[in-house]
Amino acid sequence: MRIGVIGTGYVGLVTGTCFANLGNYVICADNNKKKIDALLKGKVPIYEPGLDELVVHNTKQKRLTFTTSIKKVVEKSDIIFIAVGTPSKKNGDADLSFVGAVAKQIAKYLTKYRIIVEKSTVPVKTGEWVKSTIERFARKNVKFDVASNPEFLREGTAIKDFLNPDRIVIGVSSKRAENMLKKLYAPLKSPILVTDVKSAEIIKHASNSFLATKISFINAVSNICEKVGADILKVAEGMGMDKRIGRQFLSAGLGFGGSCFPKDVDAFISISKKLGYDFDLLEEVRRVNARQIELFVSKIKSNLINLKDKTVGLLGLAFKPETDDMREAPSLKVIDWLKKQKIKVKVFDPKAMPKSKDLLKGVKFCKDTYELAKGCDCLLVITEWNEFKQLDLVRIKRLMKRNLIIDGRNIFDSVNLKNIGFKYISTGRGR
Ligand code: NAD
Ligand code: UGA
């Protein structure tokens, strides 16, 4: 099939590349010329495992091309995916200006039937708005459908998630669009749920908000565990063994970050309010999430005691492992606090350092964990990269000035750390 994808970021690039790899002809467009120039040279601007190879392979096979021209996409594609960003506005609303701008441009070049698919995460009723925008700006009598096909991939495992989703949700208002989208997704062999457009939009917001709720719930429980010296890892395991609950998304720690959960919870709260419902439950989810960082920071304060002339090292910067994405990364808030206390900050992340250099001034970027540990009074585990779980902790301890590790992701065995001689403070595993 002939597919167009507008917005070549984490979702658009993965979507376009995977559709090309399934044998479709795909044009990916972005208004960021630098990004398109890089992609045309086979350079992938983000770190996502396995993506570079797939982009290069499908470009060589001439199934995947890149452009800055939306005109070209509209002319050459039967199905057009909108995958631009939908960030938060200051008041929590989803900023739909990128979606709106793309809808207008699509309308301008529309001459024959196309399906325009919302891949971006948008509030309910955005489909209606996109449809009326296109109607307003397109020539008369041109036929098109607007569909919603929310994306559930996670950064770091995006290709695997895209190709093996638990479900594919297709929100449509015509049989023609339903059949074309079903045909496109048929090779994936995953269950396809067909709904109306509004239900599909809500499925996405509700799913992300539910997962965020699960995380805040386990974080709240971890705080109770800390108070009595119980072990949140055992509690999560015990809860997760109940199939109705499940173990996933019950890892307590620094809370959820990234470009999706925080903004999508905000947007769901916001659209609910506009529709006349106060989603207080989600307000609390946000509060618990913010409090996790405050509690983490209070552990640094109480365990370092005197903050003067102290050096702290951060293991990890990215909002989660296997990505270089720094959007809403908890590390940013922790570093902000450390700098306000005039504590010297050293950082190391296996992939996110290039993207962090503009965001983080006045911190020392280290080449590895051992350079990081040297002279530190305290190490903070911020991102649970696998390589941190394999550290030579005896060597780390020798390099550090003091023996304190505060673990925001529970990656170490507390007995082992104590035997080596560390003072080890983790999350929800007693004090
Ligand atoms: P991103 O910021 O990585 O990519 C968005 C791209 O759109 C950018 O490259 C930007 O230059 C481009 N763009 C903006 N305006 C444009 C325009 N007028 N014309 C052409 N290109 C334009 O964002 P992302 O992380 O890929 O997220 C995109 C959407 O997908 C969001 O709504 C997000 O909530 C949703 N989503 C993201 C993920 C994820 O893991 N990142 C997963 C599921 C859904
Ligand atoms: C999330 C969802 O998992 C995807 O299904 C969805 O498509 C995507 O948002 C989106 O809509 O953009 P992602 O943000 O890439 O994906 O990463 P997750 O693995 O979900 O982690 C999100 C945050 O929650 C991270 O900061 C992570 O550290 C935190 N988290 C996750 C926890 O604190 N505990 C957990 O148990 C799980």
Side-chain angles (χ1 to χ4, degrees):
M1 296 174 88
R2 299 182 314 156
I3 307 300
V5 181
I6 302 174
T8 311
Y10 284 87
V11 166
L13 186 56
V14 171
T15 301
T17 307
C18 288
F19 279 141
N21 206 48
L22 291 170
N24 300 290
Y25 289 93
V26 180
I27 309 179
C28 287
D30 205 287
N31 62 357
N32 182 335
K33 192 173 176 305
K34 258 193 184 161
K35 213 177 235 189
I36 294 299
D37 287 345
L39 284 162
L40 285 169
K41 288 186 198 132
K43 291 204 174 75
V44 174
I46 51 170
Y47 172 70
E48 182 59 49
L51 188 57
D52 297 45
E53 296 89 316
L54 273 193
V55 168
V56 171
H57 173 70
N58 285 284
T59 309
K60 272 195 191 140
Q61 298 294 314
K62 303 208 180 319
R63 285 194 299 258
L64 181 62
T65 54
F66 300 98
T67 181
T68 52
S69 162
I70 290 189
K71 182 170 184 272
K72 201 167 152 193
V73 172
V74 179
E75 278 171 5
K76 293 200 187 274
S77 318
D78 301 312
I79 307 178
I80 302 164
F81 287 86
I82 302 180
V84 296
T86 49
S88 270
K89 286 190 194 168
K90 277 212 169 71
N91 65 359
D93 285 359
D95 179 351
L96 296 176
S97 57
F98 303 117
V99 174
V102 169
K104 276 186 205 162
Q105 275 193 283
I106 292 175
K108 194 168 148 193
Y109 302 118
L110 209 58
T111 52
K112 50 181 143 167
Y113 179 79
R114 299 288 182 242
I115 304 176
I116 295 115
V117 187
E118 298 171 340
K119 193 62 153 165
S120 301
T121 302
V122 291
V124 62
K125 291 172 89 176
T126 302
E128 280 180 3
W129 175 70
V130 167
K131 186 165 183 260
S132 63
T133 305
I134 297 177
E135 272 163 359
R136 198 148 29 101
F137 290 94
R139 65 191 65 180
K140 288 228 164 359
N141 301 326
V142 62
K143 291 218 163 22
F144 69 94
D145 271 308
V146 172
S148 165
N149 168 225
E151 182 49 56
F152 301 101
L153 64 77
R154 290 161 297 174
E155 291 177 24
T157 50
I159 292 169
K160 192 177 129 271
D161 291 345
F162 187 90
L163 294 172
N164 308 284
D166 288 346
R167 78 301 205 189
I168 294 156
V169 175
I170 292 175
V172 281
S173 52
S174 84
K175 208 63 195 162
R176 186 175 185 182
E178 177 185 332
N179 289 341
M180 277 174 79
L181 286 168
K182 273 183 171 167
K183 188 174 160 202
L184 175 65
Y185 276 109
L188 293 194
K189 312 271 181 258
S190 294
I192 296 180
L193 178 72
V194 179
T195 71
D196 60 280
V197 176
K198 285 186 277 201
S199 300
E201 290 168 334
I202 291 183
I203 287 170
K204 177 63 193 177
H205 262 170
S207 299
N208 272 7
S209 298
F210 187 81
L211 292 170
T213 304
K214 234 180 145 180
I215 297 169
S216 277
F217 187 88
I218 202 66
N219 280 331
V221 174
S222 81
N223 295 322
I224 305 300
C225 288
E226 271 186 21
K227 290 197 185 293
V228 296
D231 184 347
I232 190 63
L233 294 180
K234 289 286 175 206
V235 172
E237 194 182 341
M239 287 170 64
M241 286 166 89
D242 184 329
K243 289 194 188 72
R244 293 170 303 173
I245 299 174
R247 175 63 182 85
Q248 289 190 64
F249 283 74
L250 286 183
S251 296
L254 281 159
F256 55 83
S259 65
C260 297
F261 285 174
K263 85 159 167 64
D264 291 343
V265 170
D266 282 352
F268 203 27
I269 293 172
S270 187
I271 185 70
S272 304
K273 193 164 271 154
K274 282 191 189 140
L275 294 168
Y277 180 74
D278 284 332
F279 216 140
D280 295 337
L281 174 65
L282 291 182
E283 301 267 11
E284 193 53 32
V285 166
R286 283 294 259 151
R287 267 194 290 277
V288 170
N289 199 49
R291 215 181 311 150
Q292 279 310 105
I293 301 266
E294 288 163 22
L295 290 168
F296 185 74
V297 155
S298 72
K299 286 178 187 167
I300 306 174
K301 202 170 165 183
S302 59
N303 284 285
L304 276 178
I305 308 167
N306 178 1
L307 303 184
K308 203 164 169 274
D309 296 326
K310 292 290 193 295
T311 303
V312 166
L314 273 75
L315 285 162
L317 290 169
F319 85 99
K320 61 178 268 188
E322 295 303 329
T323 180
D324 59 354
D325 198 343
M326 286 296 294
R327 292 179 285 184
E328 294 263 346
S331 61
L332 298 172
K333 294 198 179 84
V334 174
I335 291 171
D336 195 41
W337 180 84
L338 291 168
K339 281 169 64 186
K340 279 193 187 125
Q341 314 309 311
K342 310 240 178 318
I343 291 173
K344 283 196 206 84
V345 181
K346 296 174 78 176
V347 298
F348 172 73
D349 187 286
K351 293 289 175 198
M353 294 211 286
K355 280 207 176 147
S356 305
K357 291 218 160 115
D358 288 340
L359 299 171
L360 299 173
K361 299 291 172 204
V363 310
K364 182 169 168 35
F365 288 87
C366 300
K367 69 173 194 309
D368 59 29
T369 42
Y370 301 102
E371 188 190 337
L372 177 87
K374 208 167 170 193
C376 276
D377 295 279
C378 169
L379 283 183
L380 306 175
V381 181
I382 304 290
T383 317
E384 65 278 32
W385 285 93
N386 274 337
E387 67 175 74
F388 297 159
K389 297 175 188 165
Q390 313 293 337
L391 290 180
D392 178 348
L393 289 163
V394 174
R395 183 172 165 206
I396 292 279
K397 180 160 174 292
R398 231 183 292 126
L399 290 165
M400 287 175 70
K401 197 159 143 200
R402 285 182 62 205
N403 62 345
L404 180 60
I405 294 186
I406 305 179
D407 185 350
R409 299 291 180 186
N410 288 338
I411 64 169
F412 293 126
D413 179 83
S414 49
V415 174
N416 185 28
L417 274 252
K418 278 172 194 156
N419 287 343
I420 296 172
F422 279 107
K423 181 172 184 193
Y424 178 58
I425 314 288
S426 52
T427 306
R429 293 198 280 170
R431 286 207 184 251

